[in-house]
Amino acid sequence: MESKIDKAIDAFNEGFNCAQAIFSTYGTDLGIDKDTALKISSGFGGGMARMQETCGALTGAYMVVGMKYGKIQADDKVSHEKTYKIINEMTSRFKEWNKTTLCKELLGQDLNTDEGKLFIQENGLFNTVCLKCVRDAAKLVEEF
């Protein structure tokens, strides 16, 4: 039987962005259908719409945490704090493994320049760096 981590990697390899790979894999266990999960997370790849901010795989994991523990009542401080605590712990662990959460620093290139795109493609960084980030984010979801 294929693990959820493998399913997230498969989704990424099929052409979904890093955030979609995580959120569509785990969101379905939390009551959201796959198509909706893919749509919600579609703008988060490449560190938020290729702005190369927080890694999309990690933001996909944050969405999963929100689906599981997020507050639905304005005054629910317990759920709010639990969600933030888990996200902070996930972020710390991701940084331990990857030194940063920033997509631009993870890739070491700018996705928005022709030179950066070419370097990323020629060096297979989507298949190495990004794939590792998807795997790491999936492991964090599994752990937390």
Side-chain angles (χ1 to χ4, degrees), residues 1-14 21-22 25-26 131 134-135 138-139 142:
M1 181 170 187
E2 187 176 40
S3 75
K4 290 279 191 183
I5 294 170
D6 291 335
K7 286 182 182 183
I9 290 167
D10 288 347
F12 183 75
N13 285 332
E14 288 169 13
I22 297 297
T25 298
Y26 292 95
L131 197 61
V134 169
R135 180 178 285 110
K139 285 178 185 175
E142 298 274 335

Side-chain angles (χ1 to χ4, degrees), residues 59-112:
T59 59
Y62 295 165
M63 287 184 244
V64 174
V65 173
M67 285 291 299
K68 175 107 174 137
Y69 300 109
K71 72 178 183 176
I72 56 171
Q73 301 294 324
D75 62 349
D76 183 356
K77 291 179 177 36
V78 173
S79 293
H80 180 76
E81 290 305 318
K82 181 173 188 163
T83 300
Y84 279 25
K85 181 178 190 270
I86 292 169
I87 288 173
N88 283 318
E89 289 173 6
M90 290 173 115
T91 302
S92 292
R93 185 77 53 83
F94 191 90
K95 282 182 180 178
E96 285 174 24
W97 296 340
N98 297 289
K99 308 294 185 245
T100 186
T101 61
L102 298 177
C103 176
K104 189 170 188 174
E105 292 176 6
L106 289 161
L107 286 170
Q109 296 293 319
D110 189 341
L111 274 170
N112 298 298

Side-chain angles (χ1 to χ4, degrees), residues 29-45:
D29 291 341
L30 300 168
I32 190 164
D33 67 274
K34 185 174 181 175
D35 288 349
T36 302
L38 288 167
K39 286 182 178 187
I40 289 169
S41 55
S42 66
F44 291 83

